[in-house]
Amino acid sequence: MSPRLATIVFLALLTAVSGVGTDEVSAQSPESANRKHSDPHDPFAQLDPWWPTPGATRIASGAPGPAYWQQRADYEIDVTLDDDQQQINGVVKIRYHNQSPHTLPYLWIQLDQNRFRQGSDALETTTAPSLSPRISFGAMKSILASRRFDGGYRIASVTDGADKPLRHTDIGTMMRIDLSTPIAPGEQTEVAIEYSYKIVDAKVIRARGGKEYFEDDKNYIYEIAQWFPRVAAYTDFGAWQHKSFLGRGEFTLELGNYRVRITVPSEMVVASTGTLQNPDQVLTDQWKQRLAKAEQAPTPVFIITPEEAEANESVRTETTKTWEFDATNVRDFAFAASRKFIWDALGVKVGSQTVMAMSYYPNEAEPLWSQYSTEAIAHTLEVYGRYSFEYPYPVAISVNGPVYGMEYPMICFNGPRPEDDGTYSKATKYGLISVVIHEVGHNFFPMIVNSDERQWTWMDEGLNTFLQYLAEQEWEEDYPSRRGDPEKITGYMRGNNQRPIMTGSEEILQFGNNAYGKPATALNILRETILGRESFDFAFREYARRWKFKRPTPSDFFRTMEDASGVDLDWFWRGWFYGTDHVDIAIDDVQLYKIDSGDPDEQAERTRQEKDREEDTITKDRNQGMRRRIDWQPGLKDFYNSPEYDEWKVEEEDRKSFQKFLDGLSSQERAILRRTTNFYIVDFRNVGGLVMPILIRVHYADNTSEMMTFPAQIWRSNSKRVSKLIVTDKEIVRLELDPKRQTADVDEGNNHWPDKMVPSRFKLFKDEKKKNPMQKAADDQNDDPKQDAEDESSDEKAEQEPAKGK
């Protein structure tokens, strides 16, 4: 190689190392950048055009603005639980505060029980189940029961504060109340609704609350939820939220204060949202003493013991008791009642207050519930409090009944139970702990951070599942979390039957993966891989603090996370929340380059060594010993056949030319030229389409390794293919992409260089010849009942006689 050529190669290498190639320069030109970011399909296009324009109610940082407002609704409710008819009868008085800048001529009221009414949208839009090749009796019972259950509200009257009737119109699961006088900004109005409905059997028809019947002792457990007409949300971003309730999009409600009086048979125990106002009328002195002890106890204390609960199951009186509860600043209210309840409690220190963590459950739930339910509540309050804010309510309750998992302010319903003999599987144990964490965790999201569940399920389910994962990992090492780890979402991400996370609740496909698993995984990746724990945790706490007892939207969350972390994450939101691409990054090729100094002697020696290492071709190998013409015609030999000829001899002129090149270099340039550094160019391909950081572990010949992380912006000029230069004095022998499975890469098979063979397994089986119908018939004829009886008698006699000869 001539010195001139060596100089060119050397300068080209310097250009590659500095990353200032011509392609890079052109890619960053203003015209190109503007064109790129106007493309809605570009993974790095900014999301500002998609998000609401910031204003006085919601500012650009993602925080509430100086003109932020939200409505408020206070409730006073008198309700009777009819145990004979399994019916709710009640009167709800609503004081509605119009804190918006708008005059409202009517109110929209949610009537969620109407989804059980015959002919409802929920029933009529339910698609056909699979009836072939078989269906369980439980599924068939549910199908038949939902077609005959006489559900839905019976509205007896709707009146204003002066007891004057108000015109009202039912529209599916919504009711519009036309006000006699529109509510001006800053004003308030009162309405009263008298109503009743039949309680659904939640063990047969899937529901958010309902009843469960116990045949042995003729008792019910009632979990009463979505049980009274409630004002729908009216917001600055969407006006009235009056989408019909089809079962998935749970609810969006206004915060307010509640005074609720619940009348039940005297022997029933009630667990409820809020603080009990009349303990002297409904609790025994012994229960009150135990509650006082539980407040300071290190472990849960029985308020009602299993023995007391069992004795109470058979009690029947003709009298009733009214339990009175107050709840402040909650967006909903639920309760449970039964004769069967065991009750335990534990005081949990949260900031300056003691929160009573309490569980209510029947003997059928033992011994699992007394060991884990209340402890799981306490654990949730502690862990969630660190990642968001201190739990503000006085109680947190878990109730065992017919509903597997459902949340309401201060109370939740959870279903796992042991077998009839008291044993339980590992799945049941951790299922209970996880569902308690999850449902208690919903107090934070969305009961306090009051997002719109009917529109954006992920804002409560996804965020809560993420925090559930963190809490589970703090419960014990190797906790079997179902969601949160990136590798557990890859099967879903790889599939085609999906819609973006940013899809309405009722339109989501694969609800659990979309609304729970994928957003929880995305946040885990954001925390562990993109931002780091410290930066993520600070930003997430800031979001929770800003929107505590307020109404955030997705853009408020996205903007807050960027504002508080100081990182532009539009590419991340776009890929994970607005798209359905998956992560699959592959190593396509690896090339090795070394600096050629241009020294002719080095080059000649290197060429000799390369020639010596080169294995003979098959033809040359087989031609060994062949008689050749030049051997018996020596006159054909000339200078080029003589030992004096050296094909790689260096001419003195080449040495002088190289020396002249060296003389023109500085000492620093000469040192660079002498380097034996390896320059590896690694080609990556984005197979899945979702841009992510490239996490690669580099293994060297000296048995050492190191992790390298290339941020997602490496794909900004070409989101499909990219090459990265790795400069090292060591020899690379192996490369691994994402070795710790951090990014939900769906295909590990293309994550290795050189290719790593991953075995697939197959099973062996033995052919078994089955009998034909004629053979089976012959067997049946040979089955002699008399002979069978004699054989059984002989067997019994042999068992009774002592063994002989042994």
mmCIF file of all heavy atoms in Angstrom, residues 436-473:
data_model
loop_
_atom_site.group_PDB
_atom_site.id
_atom_site.type_symbol
_atom_site.label_atom_id
_atom_site.label_comp_id
_atom_site.label_asym_id
_atom_site.label_seq_id
_atom_site.Cartn_x
_atom_site.Cartn_y
_atom_site.Cartn_z
ATOM 1 N N VAL A 436 -55.004 -8.877 46.503
ATOM 2 C CA VAL A 436 -55.169 -7.902 47.580
ATOM 3 C C VAL A 436 -54.288 -6.683 47.320
ATOM 4 O O VAL A 436 -54.739 -5.528 47.445
ATOM 5 C CB VAL A 436 -54.858 -8.532 48.953
ATOM 6 C CG1 VAL A 436 -54.831 -7.458 50.042
ATOM 7 C CG2 VAL A 436 -55.877 -9.599 49.293
ATOM 8 N N ILE A 437 -53.037 -6.911 46.963
ATOM 9 C CA ILE A 437 -52.153 -5.785 46.639
ATOM 10 C C ILE A 437 -52.757 -4.945 45.521
ATOM 11 O O ILE A 437 -52.810 -3.710 45.596
ATOM 12 C CB ILE A 437 -50.756 -6.293 46.240
ATOM 13 C CG1 ILE A 437 -50.025 -6.906 47.439
ATOM 14 C CG2 ILE A 437 -49.922 -5.159 45.642
ATOM 15 C CD1 ILE A 437 -48.717 -7.592 47.082
ATOM 16 N N HIS A 438 -53.215 -5.629 44.483
ATOM 17 C CA HIS A 438 -53.740 -4.913 43.319
ATOM 18 C C HIS A 438 -54.982 -4.087 43.679
ATOM 19 O O HIS A 438 -55.057 -2.891 43.355
ATOM 20 C CB HIS A 438 -54.081 -5.914 42.213
ATOM 21 C CG HIS A 438 -54.539 -5.281 40.942
ATOM 22 N ND1 HIS A 438 -53.681 -4.918 39.931
ATOM 23 C CD2 HIS A 438 -55.781 -4.938 40.519
ATOM 24 C CE1 HIS A 438 -54.369 -4.384 38.943
ATOM 25 N NE2 HIS A 438 -55.650 -4.382 39.276
ATOM 26 N N GLU A 439 -55.948 -4.700 44.348
ATOM 27 C CA GLU A 439 -57.203 -4.004 44.612
ATOM 28 C C GLU A 439 -57.044 -2.925 45.677
ATOM 29 O O GLU A 439 -57.642 -1.852 45.559
ATOM 30 C CB GLU A 439 -58.292 -5.008 45.012
ATOM 31 C CG GLU A 439 -58.526 -6.142 44.024
ATOM 32 C CD GLU A 439 -58.786 -5.676 42.598
ATOM 33 O OE1 GLU A 439 -59.135 -4.502 42.399
ATOM 34 O OE2 GLU A 439 -58.638 -6.499 41.682
ATOM 35 N N VAL A 440 -56.253 -3.168 46.707
ATOM 36 C CA VAL A 440 -55.969 -2.104 47.675
ATOM 37 C C VAL A 440 -55.195 -0.983 46.987
ATOM 38 O O VAL A 440 -55.428 0.207 47.237
ATOM 39 C CB VAL A 440 -55.191 -2.652 48.889
ATOM 40 C CG1 VAL A 440 -54.754 -1.513 49.806
ATOM 41 C CG2 VAL A 440 -56.048 -3.644 49.666
ATOM 42 N N GLY A 441 -54.288 -1.361 46.079
ATOM 43 C CA GLY A 441 -53.516 -0.366 45.356
ATOM 44 C C GLY A 441 -54.373 0.567 44.522
ATOM 45 O O GLY A 441 -53.985 1.719 44.253
ATOM 46 N N HIS A 442 -55.533 0.095 44.103
ATOM 47 C CA HIS A 442 -56.431 0.956 43.317
ATOM 48 C C HIS A 442 -56.922 2.161 44.111
ATOM 49 O O HIS A 442 -57.437 3.121 43.519
ATOM 50 C CB HIS A 442 -57.626 0.146 42.816
ATOM 51 C CG HIS A 442 -57.404 -0.488 41.483
ATOM 52 N ND1 HIS A 442 -56.938 0.222 40.393
ATOM 53 C CD2 HIS A 442 -57.605 -1.754 41.055
ATOM 54 C CE1 HIS A 442 -56.864 -0.587 39.347
ATOM 55 N NE2 HIS A 442 -57.253 -1.793 39.721
ATOM 56 N N ASN A 443 -56.792 2.133 45.431
ATOM 57 C CA ASN A 443 -57.124 3.341 46.185
ATOM 58 C C ASN A 443 -56.279 4.521 45.715
ATOM 59 O O ASN A 443 -56.748 5.664 45.716
ATOM 60 C CB ASN A 443 -56.898 3.111 47.682
ATOM 61 C CG ASN A 443 -58.048 2.375 48.338
ATOM 62 O OD1 ASN A 443 -59.079 2.961 48.639
ATOM 63 N ND2 ASN A 443 -57.879 1.077 48.533
ATOM 64 N N PHE A 444 -55.039 4.247 45.325
ATOM 65 C CA PHE A 444 -54.149 5.301 44.861
ATOM 66 C C PHE A 444 -54.478 5.689 43.414
ATOM 67 O O PHE A 444 -54.546 6.865 43.079
ATOM 68 C CB PHE A 444 -52.696 4.835 44.976
ATOM 69 C CG PHE A 444 -52.252 4.580 46.391
ATOM 70 C CD1 PHE A 444 -52.542 3.377 47.027
ATOM 71 C CD2 PHE A 444 -51.531 5.537 47.091
ATOM 72 C CE1 PHE A 444 -52.143 3.140 48.332
ATOM 73 C CE2 PHE A 444 -51.119 5.312 48.398
ATOM 74 C CZ PHE A 444 -51.431 4.110 49.032
ATOM 75 N N PHE A 445 -54.628 4.671 42.571
ATOM 76 C CA PHE A 445 -54.952 4.868 41.152
ATOM 77 C C PHE A 445 -56.103 3.934 40.812
ATOM 78 O O PHE A 445 -55.893 2.718 40.808
ATOM 79 C CB PHE A 445 -53.742 4.535 40.263
ATOM 80 C CG PHE A 445 -52.502 5.311 40.592
ATOM 81 C CD1 PHE A 445 -51.581 4.799 41.487
ATOM 82 C CD2 PHE A 445 -52.245 6.531 40.009
ATOM 83 C CE1 PHE A 445 -50.432 5.502 41.803
ATOM 84 C CE2 PHE A 445 -51.095 7.236 40.312
ATOM 85 C CZ PHE A 445 -50.194 6.727 41.215
ATOM 86 N N PRO A 446 -57.324 4.381 40.608
ATOM 87 C CA PRO A 446 -57.743 5.740 40.279
ATOM 88 C C PRO A 446 -58.624 6.399 41.343
ATOM 89 O O PRO A 446 -59.289 7.398 41.041
ATOM 90 C CB PRO A 446 -58.587 5.491 39.040
ATOM 91 C CG PRO A 446 -59.339 4.250 39.401
ATOM 92 C CD PRO A 446 -58.381 3.422 40.239
ATOM 93 N N MET A 447 -58.712 5.831 42.549
ATOM 94 C CA MET A 447 -59.639 6.397 43.517
ATOM 95 C C MET A 447 -59.201 7.777 44.004
ATOM 96 O O MET A 447 -60.032 8.603 44.370
ATOM 97 C CB MET A 447 -59.805 5.442 44.707
ATOM 98 C CG MET A 447 -60.385 4.090 44.330
ATOM 99 S SD MET A 447 -61.990 4.276 43.527
ATOM 100 C CE MET A 447 -62.204 2.649 42.838
ATOM 101 N N ILE A 448 -57.888 8.011 44.016
ATOM 102 C CA ILE A 448 -57.374 9.312 44.466
ATOM 103 C C ILE A 448 -56.816 10.092 43.280
ATOM 104 O O ILE A 448 -57.195 11.241 43.050
ATOM 105 C CB ILE A 448 -56.322 9.120 45.575
ATOM 106 C CG1 ILE A 448 -56.978 8.481 46.803
ATOM 107 C CG2 ILE A 448 -55.665 10.450 45.937
ATOM 108 C CD1 ILE A 448 -56.022 8.055 47.878
ATOM 109 N N VAL A 449 -55.909 9.483 42.518
ATOM 110 C CA VAL A 449 -55.510 10.075 41.234
ATOM 111 C C VAL A 449 -56.627 9.681 40.262
ATOM 112 O O VAL A 449 -56.624 8.596 39.694
ATOM 113 C CB VAL A 449 -54.132 9.554 40.775
ATOM 114 C CG1 VAL A 449 -53.746 10.166 39.439
ATOM 115 C CG2 VAL A 449 -53.073 9.871 41.833
ATOM 116 N N ASN A 450 -57.582 10.573 40.074
ATOM 117 C CA ASN A 450 -58.929 10.247 39.597
ATOM 118 C C ASN A 450 -59.010 10.256 38.067
ATOM 119 O O ASN A 450 -59.640 11.127 37.464
ATOM 120 C CB ASN A 450 -59.915 11.249 40.200
ATOM 121 C CG ASN A 450 -61.353 10.862 39.976
ATOM 122 O OD1 ASN A 450 -61.662 9.777 39.515
ATOM 123 N ND2 ASN A 450 -62.248 11.784 40.305
ATOM 124 N N SER A 451 -58.394 9.268 37.427
ATOM 125 C CA SER A 451 -58.405 9.187 35.961
ATOM 126 C C SER A 451 -59.736 8.643 35.463
ATOM 127 O O SER A 451 -60.545 8.123 36.230
ATOM 128 C CB SER A 451 -57.248 8.312 35.468
ATOM 129 O OG SER A 451 -57.328 7.022 36.033
ATOM 130 N N ASP A 452 -59.944 8.759 34.160
ATOM 131 C CA ASP A 452 -61.197 8.343 33.515
ATOM 132 C C ASP A 452 -61.072 6.898 33.062
ATOM 133 O O ASP A 452 -60.525 6.604 32.011
ATOM 134 C CB ASP A 452 -61.470 9.266 32.317
ATOM 135 C CG ASP A 452 -62.799 8.969 31.643
ATOM 136 O OD1 ASP A 452 -63.388 7.906 31.898
ATOM 137 O OD2 ASP A 452 -63.246 9.807 30.840
ATOM 138 N N GLU A 453 -61.592 5.961 33.860
ATOM 139 C CA GLU A 453 -61.488 4.531 33.544
ATOM 140 C C GLU A 453 -62.312 4.145 32.320
ATOM 141 O O GLU A 453 -61.976 3.193 31.616
ATOM 142 C CB GLU A 453 -61.943 3.699 34.734
ATOM 143 C CG GLU A 453 -61.050 3.796 35.938
ATOM 144 C CD GLU A 453 -61.528 2.870 37.033
ATOM 145 O OE1 GLU A 453 -61.226 1.664 36.952
ATOM 146 O OE2 GLU A 453 -62.206 3.342 37.953
ATOM 147 N N ARG A 454 -63.396 4.832 32.111
ATOM 148 C CA ARG A 454 -64.251 4.456 30.990
ATOM 149 C C ARG A 454 -63.568 4.756 29.664
ATOM 150 O O ARG A 454 -63.854 4.133 28.648
ATOM 151 C CB ARG A 454 -65.590 5.182 31.080
ATOM 152 C CG ARG A 454 -66.633 4.601 30.158
ATOM 153 C CD ARG A 454 -68.026 4.768 30.722
ATOM 154 N NE ARG A 454 -68.219 3.948 31.905
ATOM 155 C CZ ARG A 454 -69.360 3.897 32.592
ATOM 156 N NH1 ARG A 454 -70.390 4.617 32.217
ATOM 157 N NH2 ARG A 454 -69.469 3.130 33.659
ATOM 158 N N GLN A 455 -62.648 5.701 29.672
ATOM 159 C CA GLN A 455 -61.951 6.068 28.443
ATOM 160 C C GLN A 455 -60.561 5.429 28.351
ATOM 161 O O GLN A 455 -60.202 4.859 27.340
ATOM 162 C CB GLN A 455 -61.810 7.597 28.363
ATOM 163 C CG GLN A 455 -61.138 8.098 27.091
ATOM 164 C CD GLN A 455 -61.937 7.779 25.847
ATOM 165 O OE1 GLN A 455 -63.163 7.804 25.870
ATOM 166 N NE2 GLN A 455 -61.264 7.461 24.751
ATOM 167 N N TRP A 456 -59.782 5.518 29.429
ATOM 168 C CA TRP A 456 -58.390 5.062 29.399
ATOM 169 C C TRP A 456 -58.162 4.071 30.542
ATOM 170 O O TRP A 456 -57.714 4.435 31.630
ATOM 171 C CB TRP A 456 -57.444 6.250 29.544
ATOM 172 C CG TRP A 456 -57.619 7.283 28.472
ATOM 173 C CD1 TRP A 456 -57.398 7.133 27.129
ATOM 174 C CD2 TRP A 456 -58.050 8.647 28.659
ATOM 175 N NE1 TRP A 456 -57.669 8.301 26.470
ATOM 176 C CE2 TRP A 456 -58.069 9.246 27.373
ATOM 177 C CE3 TRP A 456 -58.413 9.407 29.766
ATOM 178 C CZ2 TRP A 456 -58.439 10.581 27.184
ATOM 179 C CZ3 TRP A 456 -58.787 10.728 29.579
ATOM 180 C CH2 TRP A 456 -58.804 11.295 28.301
ATOM 181 N N THR A 457 -58.423 2.819 30.271
ATOM 182 C CA THR A 457 -58.274 1.796 31.312
ATOM 183 C C THR A 457 -56.841 1.728 31.831
ATOM 184 O O THR A 457 -56.608 1.501 33.022
ATOM 185 C CB THR A 457 -58.699 0.429 30.763
ATOM 186 O OG1 THR A 457 -60.047 0.507 30.322
ATOM 187 C CG2 THR A 457 -58.587 -0.652 31.818
ATOM 188 N N TRP A 458 -55.866 1.899 30.942
ATOM 189 C CA TRP A 458 -54.467 1.717 31.346
ATOM 190 C C TRP A 458 -54.040 2.710 32.414
ATOM 191 O O TRP A 458 -53.109 2.437 33.177
ATOM 192 C CB TRP A 458 -53.544 1.841 30.134
ATOM 193 C CG TRP A 458 -53.418 3.232 29.567
ATOM 194 C CD1 TRP A 458 -54.155 3.787 28.567
ATOM 195 C CD2 TRP A 458 -52.484 4.241 29.972
ATOM 196 N NE1 TRP A 458 -53.752 5.072 28.319
ATOM 197 C CE2 TRP A 458 -52.721 5.379 29.162
ATOM 198 C CE3 TRP A 458 -51.476 4.303 30.932
ATOM 199 C CZ2 TRP A 458 -51.983 6.563 29.287
ATOM 200 C CZ3 TRP A 458 -50.733 5.481 31.056
ATOM 201 C CH2 TRP A 458 -50.993 6.586 30.240
ATOM 202 N N MET A 459 -54.715 3.882 32.487
ATOM 203 C CA MET A 459 -54.277 4.893 33.442
ATOM 204 C C MET A 459 -54.504 4.472 34.884
ATOM 205 O O MET A 459 -53.877 5.014 35.800
ATOM 206 C CB MET A 459 -54.981 6.228 33.178
ATOM 207 C CG MET A 459 -54.486 6.933 31.931
ATOM 208 S SD MET A 459 -54.963 8.655 31.899
ATOM 209 C CE MET A 459 -53.859 9.357 33.135
ATOM 210 N N ASP A 460 -55.431 3.514 35.101
ATOM 211 C CA ASP A 460 -55.540 2.976 36.457
ATOM 212 C C ASP A 460 -55.018 1.541 36.518
ATOM 213 O O ASP A 460 -54.217 1.205 37.371
ATOM 214 C CB ASP A 460 -56.977 3.075 36.977
ATOM 215 C CG ASP A 460 -57.921 2.101 36.296
ATOM 216 O OD1 ASP A 460 -58.204 2.290 35.110
ATOM 217 O OD2 ASP A 460 -58.382 1.168 36.965
ATOM 218 N N GLU A 461 -55.442 0.694 35.568
ATOM 219 C CA GLU A 461 -55.020 -0.709 35.630
ATOM 220 C C GLU A 461 -53.532 -0.876 35.331
ATOM 221 O O GLU A 461 -52.836 -1.648 35.979
ATOM 222 C CB GLU A 461 -55.849 -1.555 34.663
ATOM 223 C CG GLU A 461 -57.337 -1.593 34.966
ATOM 224 C CD GLU A 461 -57.673 -2.252 36.299
ATOM 225 O OE1 GLU A 461 -56.760 -2.722 36.998
ATOM 226 O OE2 GLU A 461 -58.866 -2.285 36.645
ATOM 227 N N GLY A 462 -53.042 -0.165 34.335
ATOM 228 C CA GLY A 462 -51.638 -0.298 33.962
ATOM 229 C C GLY A 462 -50.704 0.261 35.019
ATOM 230 O O GLY A 462 -49.730 -0.383 35.423
ATOM 231 N N LEU A 463 -50.992 1.502 35.475
ATOM 232 C CA LEU A 463 -50.159 2.100 36.512
ATOM 233 C C LEU A 463 -50.215 1.287 37.791
ATOM 234 O O LEU A 463 -49.203 1.077 38.472
ATOM 235 C CB LEU A 463 -50.602 3.541 36.766
ATOM 236 C CG LEU A 463 -49.905 4.628 35.944
ATOM 237 C CD1 LEU A 463 -50.142 4.430 34.460
ATOM 238 C CD2 LEU A 463 -50.380 6.020 36.367
ATOM 239 N N ASN A 464 -51.409 0.804 38.137
ATOM 240 C CA ASN A 464 -51.550 0.019 39.362
ATOM 241 C C ASN A 464 -50.848 -1.331 39.254
ATOM 242 O O ASN A 464 -50.243 -1.807 40.216
ATOM 243 C CB ASN A 464 -53.033 -0.174 39.670
ATOM 244 C CG ASN A 464 -53.253 -0.871 40.993
ATOM 245 O OD1 ASN A 464 -52.581 -0.589 41.979
ATOM 246 N ND2 ASN A 464 -54.184 -1.800 41.017
ATOM 247 N N THR A 465 -50.925 -1.972 38.075
ATOM 248 C CA THR A 465 -50.242 -3.253 37.903
ATOM 249 C C THR A 465 -48.726 -3.071 38.000
ATOM 250 O O THR A 465 -48.018 -3.949 38.526
ATOM 251 C CB THR A 465 -50.616 -3.881 36.553
ATOM 252 O OG1 THR A 465 -52.040 -4.049 36.500
ATOM 253 C CG2 THR A 465 -49.961 -5.238 36.357
ATOM 254 N N PHE A 466 -48.227 -1.948 37.521
ATOM 255 C CA PHE A 466 -46.797 -1.645 37.655
ATOM 256 C C PHE A 466 -46.401 -1.541 39.129
ATOM 257 O O PHE A 466 -45.421 -2.156 39.575
ATOM 258 C CB PHE A 466 -46.482 -0.345 36.922
ATOM 259 C CG PHE A 466 -45.180 0.280 37.308
ATOM 260 C CD1 PHE A 466 -43.979 -0.328 36.979
ATOM 261 C CD2 PHE A 466 -45.147 1.476 38.012
ATOM 262 C CE1 PHE A 466 -42.763 0.251 37.340
ATOM 263 C CE2 PHE A 466 -43.948 2.060 38.373
ATOM 264 C CZ PHE A 466 -42.753 1.443 38.040
ATOM 265 N N LEU A 467 -47.167 -0.782 39.917
ATOM 266 C CA LEU A 467 -46.859 -0.655 41.340
ATOM 267 C C LEU A 467 -47.080 -1.975 42.075
ATOM 268 O O LEU A 467 -46.355 -2.295 43.027
ATOM 269 C CB LEU A 467 -47.712 0.447 41.964
ATOM 270 C CG LEU A 467 -47.349 1.876 41.557
ATOM 271 C CD1 LEU A 467 -48.330 2.865 42.151
ATOM 272 C CD2 LEU A 467 -45.927 2.222 41.979
ATOM 273 N N GLN A 468 -48.069 -2.745 41.630
ATOM 274 C CA GLN A 468 -48.274 -4.087 42.188
ATOM 275 C C GLN A 468 -47.020 -4.932 42.006
ATOM 276 O O GLN A 468 -46.600 -5.651 42.930
ATOM 277 C CB GLN A 468 -49.463 -4.756 41.495
ATOM 278 C CG GLN A 468 -49.670 -6.217 41.880
ATOM 279 C CD GLN A 468 -50.661 -6.915 40.954
ATOM 280 O OE1 GLN A 468 -51.470 -6.278 40.280
ATOM 281 N NE2 GLN A 468 -50.588 -8.235 40.899
ATOM 282 N N TYR A 469 -46.417 -4.848 40.820
ATOM 283 C CA TYR A 469 -45.189 -5.607 40.556
ATOM 284 C C TYR A 469 -44.078 -5.190 41.532
ATOM 285 O O TYR A 469 -43.383 -6.047 42.095
ATOM 286 C CB TYR A 469 -44.755 -5.373 39.112
ATOM 287 C CG TYR A 469 -43.407 -5.955 38.771
ATOM 288 C CD1 TYR A 469 -43.239 -7.324 38.590
ATOM 289 C CD2 TYR A 469 -42.292 -5.133 38.627
ATOM 290 C CE1 TYR A 469 -42.000 -7.857 38.281
ATOM 291 C CE2 TYR A 469 -41.056 -5.665 38.309
ATOM 292 C CZ TYR A 469 -40.913 -7.026 38.138
ATOM 293 O OH TYR A 469 -39.678 -7.555 37.831
ATOM 294 N N LEU A 470 -43.924 -3.892 41.757
ATOM 295 C CA LEU A 470 -42.904 -3.435 42.705
ATOM 296 C C LEU A 470 -43.199 -3.949 44.110
ATOM 297 O O LEU A 470 -42.289 -4.372 44.833
ATOM 298 C CB LEU A 470 -42.842 -1.907 42.707
ATOM 299 C CG LEU A 470 -42.466 -1.221 41.385
ATOM 300 C CD1 LEU A 470 -42.353 0.288 41.598
ATOM 301 C CD2 LEU A 470 -41.163 -1.772 40.822
ATOM 302 N N ALA A 471 -44.477 -3.931 44.510
ATOM 303 C CA ALA A 471 -44.844 -4.401 45.845
ATOM 304 C C ALA A 471 -44.634 -5.908 45.978
ATOM 305 O O ALA A 471 -44.194 -6.401 47.028
ATOM 306 C CB ALA A 471 -46.291 -4.037 46.141
ATOM 307 N N GLU A 472 -44.957 -6.657 44.936
ATOM 308 C CA GLU A 472 -44.752 -8.107 44.974
ATOM 309 C C GLU A 472 -43.274 -8.438 45.141
ATOM 310 O O GLU A 472 -42.911 -9.351 45.898
ATOM 311 C CB GLU A 472 -45.281 -8.738 43.688
ATOM 312 C CG GLU A 472 -46.795 -8.761 43.591
ATOM 313 C CD GLU A 472 -47.290 -9.191 42.216
ATOM 314 O OE1 GLU A 472 -46.475 -9.230 41.268
ATOM 315 O OE2 GLU A 472 -48.485 -9.479 42.080
ATOM 316 N N GLN A 473 -42.421 -7.705 44.440
ATOM 317 C CA GLN A 473 -40.992 -7.980 44.541
ATOM 318 C C GLN A 473 -40.442 -7.641 45.917
ATOM 319 O O GLN A 473 -39.406 -8.177 46.326
ATOM 320 C CB GLN A 473 -40.242 -7.204 43.450
ATOM 321 C CG GLN A 473 -40.607 -7.630 42.031
ATOM 322 C CD GLN A 473 -40.475 -9.123 41.825
ATOM 323 O OE1 GLN A 473 -39.407 -9.704 42.014
ATOM 324 N NE2 GLN A 473 -41.570 -9.771 41.429
#
